[in-house]
Amino acid sequence: MVAHVLSLKLRLLANGFKRSIGQLIGVIIGGLYALGMIVMLTLAVWFTAGEIPFQADIFTLIGSAVVLGWAIIPPLLTGVDLTLEPSRFVHFGIPEKTLGPALVLAGFISIPAALTIVGLIGASLMWRLDAAALTLALVAAIATAVMAILLCQYLVIMATALRAKRRFRELTFVLLFVVLVGLGPILSSVFSAALSLGDWVSPIAAVLGYTPLGAFAAVPGAFAAGLFGQMAIHLLLGVIYLGGLYLLLARATAKATVTPPPEQRAATAKGLGFFKLLPATPTGAVAARALTYWLKDPRYAIGVLIVPMLPLLFWFTGNQTGSYAMMYVLGPMIGILMGFAISADISYDNTAFALHALTGISGRADRAGRALSCLLVAIIPVLAAAILPGLITGSFWRIPGDLGLSLAALFNALGVSSVASARYTYSVPLPGDNPMKTPPGNGLRVALTQILTMLVMGLLLIPVLIPYVIGWVQQSQSLGFITLGAGLVLGVLLLLGGIALGGKWYEKRTPELMQAVMLNK
């Protein structure tokens, strides 16, 4: 039975590549890129062996980072390969003692697992000048990889019930997005606070060596330093952690094979929501529906979360360089990004686009309603980002120009997006999926479409940029008011023109749009 399950996993892995040529090409390119990076780092480790500072601590940190990455990213966000998820075997009546170990071993048959093992083995070559330490490092690398993959499987099973809840998925996405955006400032602050590399590397590595994250990875360093007692402690702790983790995983897997998957309950709605607040017109109905998605769909949350994160990033950059000039372009950047967020709104609709297609709503009403919803969400952040920097610094002459460029950027982005989303669709994360998931097969098309859309937005802003830049150089408030007037006029014209042109394309291509979003392409 174990051999049969493993062969089944191999067959499913191979068949997954045959499903789509684009997916196969993407996997090959991604795998070769990751393997190339591993080879380059392995060669660097090989040629610098013996010269790496804090060698034992660095190896412990590498092993701990790998285990932590496997423990966080798949369980909370992406999940692992669900083709052999334990709950799928509920109806087959296979004995738990046989199926549990088979599914545990099947978890090692994946490209990320193979790359993890190869990468850790490559990192262990930093001990190549000491044969005994190298042997221990190779064993520690494999044991660390096993620890990472087993911990991932266990946490995925434990988080299955939680991941079935939408709020949990949204919360984990928000936390990860905030951490990713703030990772650079956090690390930079840690590095700058330490007087030397050893001030933060050694204490952290020493603690991690006694945890499941770095117990095995700390063994070769302790051996090379002649601390045989400490090495024995790390080795014993690693064996205990790994053995206990395997027992927990086997028990959890066996239990999951006889426990039906959790049911997802539909959310209950109270009242009419935004439909009660907006006009009872086709445009108002579309805007109310779109506003609901802005608040409840995590795929739109990326555009909302970037609003508070950008000021923090620019402030941190200014604090490091001494120049806060980037704070003055917050308004235009937020306007562009928020307006660009609706360039894929029809793609995001998926099957819900049938509401628009079957009711025969006009293209102008559809385009205007979606643009209005984004405008209601974005207008206050854009106004605040345009006015507050000049107000706080006392540069009052800047405010009219910043305000004009920011409003022009927002209206311009809404107009271009209204055209782009009616003319071009592409694969996006489906409703309920991880918002950071990248659908396979058309990455190049998505990238080109988004780049061209942003390029058009930038070119259309040139008439407003000219007086803005001249006024900024001369510190002229009068040119700032000219920028404000030009920005309002040009922005409103581009918005109305984008709604009109996008509405025409929408009406001509409604059947094609419906087919495209149903197939998510």
Side-chain angles (χ1 to χ4, degrees):
M1 177 57 66
V2 174
H4 181 71
V5 172
L6 295 180
S7 65
L8 177 62
K9 180 62 180 290
L10 285 171
R11 188 178 305 173
L12 289 170
L13 183 63
N15 290 341
F17 298 144
K18 299 177 183 179
R19 187 177 305 168
S20 169
I21 299 298
Q23 180 179 0
L24 178 60
I25 294 174
V27 170
I28 292 175
I29 293 175
L32 289 177
Y33 176 79
L35 187 60
M37 293 295 296
I38 291 174
V39 170
M40 290 178 58
L41 293 175
T42 300
L43 291 175
V45 168
W46 176 273
F47 288 110
T48 59
E51 301 177 4
I52 301 176
F54 309 103
Q55 187 167 307
D57 298 330
I58 294 297
F59 190 69
T60 302
L61 289 177
I62 292 174
S64 301
V66 169
V67 177
L68 186 62
W70 274 85
I72 292 178
I73 298 176
L76 295 183
L77 297 167
T78 61
V80 292
D81 186 0
L82 298 180
T83 53
L84 292 182
E85 188 179 17
S87 59
R88 292 176 179 264
F89 292 83
V90 170
H91 306 290
F92 294 100
I94 302 174
E96 300 176 10
K97 294 182 179 180
T98 302
L99 184 59
L103 294 178
V104 170
L105 292 176
F108 289 86
I109 303 177
S110 68
I111 294 178
L115 291 175
T116 298
I117 295 173
V118 172
L120 285 173
I121 290 177
S124 67
L125 295 181
M126 68 174 63
W127 303 98
R128 69 178 182 85
L129 299 179
D130 187 337
L134 176 60
T135 303
L136 286 174
L138 289 172
V139 175
I142 296 175
T144 300
V146 172
M147 179 81 76
I149 298 169
L150 292 184
L151 182 59
C152 173
Q153 293 184 57
Y154 177 72
L155 292 178
V156 165
I157 294 175
M158 293 294 99
T160 298
L162 291 176
R163 286 192 296 115
K165 299 179 180 180
R166 178 178 175 179
R167 292 303 179 190
F168 176 79
R169 297 196 303 269
E170 294 175 0
L171 179 60
T172 54
F173 160 69
V174 170
L175 292 177
L176 179 71
F177 184 82
V178 171
V179 169
L180 289 177
V181 173
L183 187 60
I186 293 172
L187 293 179
S188 179
S189 300
V190 172
F191 294 158
S192 62
L195 298 177
S196 66
L197 192 64
D199 288 345
W200 66 272
V201 169
S202 297
I204 294 176
V207 174
L208 292 174
Y210 294 96
T211 67
L213 302 179
F216 283 119
V219 171
F223 174 82
L227 304 174
F228 301 110
Q230 187 174 340
M231 179 199 73
I233 294 175
H234 290 308
L235 185 59
L236 178 62
L237 287 175
V239 172
I240 293 174
Y241 290 143
L242 188 58
L245 180 60
Y246 176 78
L247 293 177
L248 289 174
L249 177 58
R251 180 178 300 178
T253 303
K255 183 179 180 181
T257 58
V258 295
T259 304
E263 297 182 358
Q264 298 191 28
R265 297 181 179 179
T268 57
K270 296 181 180 180
L272 297 177
F274 292 110
F275 291 93
K276 183 178 180 180
L277 302 177
L278 294 174
T281 62
T283 299
V286 174
R289 175 178 174 270
L291 274 174
T292 304
Y293 281 98
W294 271 102
L295 294 184
K296 294 188 176 182
D297 194 331
R299 296 172 298 174
Y300 286 87
I302 297 177
V304 177
L305 286 175
I306 201 67
V307 173
M309 295 305 298
L310 274 180
L312 294 177
L313 289 176
F314 289 167
W315 175 85
F316 177 82
T317 302
N319 193 38
Q320 296 292 314
T321 62
S323 174
Y324 294 90
M326 291 295 293
M327 297 294 289
Y328 294 109
V329 297
L330 269 177
M333 288 193 67
I334 292 176
I336 287 286
L337 292 175
M338 292 292 287
F340 179 76
I342 65 170
S343 62
D345 54 354
I346 290 182
S347 300
Y348 281 152
D349 273 355
N350 197 251
T351 56
F353 184 68
L355 292 171
H356 298 245
L358 297 178
T359 54
I361 192 171
S362 68
R364 188 183 295 270
D366 179 274
R367 303 288 82 198
R370 296 178 190 267
L372 176 60
S373 67
C374 184
L375 179 63
L376 293 175
V377 173
I379 188 63
I380 293 180
V382 169
L383 291 176
I387 296 173
L388 289 180
L391 194 63
I392 293 174
T393 59
S395 303
F396 301 107
W397 61 270
R398 299 188 56 101
I399 295 178
D402 292 341
L403 188 59
L405 183 61
S406 301
L407 292 174
L410 176 60
F411 293 150
N412 170 33
L414 290 175
V416 174
S417 296
S418 297
V419 176
S421 63
R423 181 63 182 84
Y424 303 103
T425 59
Y426 44 81
S427 296
V428 295
L430 295 176
D433 281 351
N434 170 26
M436 301 182 71
K437 177 181 178 181
T438 303
N442 64 345
L444 180 61
R445 178 188 174 191
V446 173
L448 289 176
T449 302
Q450 293 181 345
I451 290 173
L452 289 175
T453 302
M454 295 290 285
L455 181 61
V456 171
M457 293 178 184
L459 292 175
L460 292 176
L461 272 181
I462 290 178
V464 182
L465 280 171
I466 293 175
Y468 176 81
V469 173
I470 297 175
W472 176 73
V473 173
Q474 298 181 358
Q475 296 188 4
S476 171
Q477 190 175 35
S478 59
L479 284 173
F481 280 107
I482 293 175
T483 303
L484 176 58
L488 287 174
V489 172
L490 180 65
V492 171
L493 290 176
L494 289 175
L495 175 58
L496 295 178
I499 291 174
L501 180 59
K504 290 182 179 180
W505 275 353
Y506 172 94
E507 292 175 353
K508 291 180 180 179
R509 301 187 68 249
T510 300
E512 290 81 0
L513 290 173
M514 185 66 196
Q515 183 180 21
V517 297
M518 290 291 291
L519 298 176
N520 192 27
K521 69 175 185 178

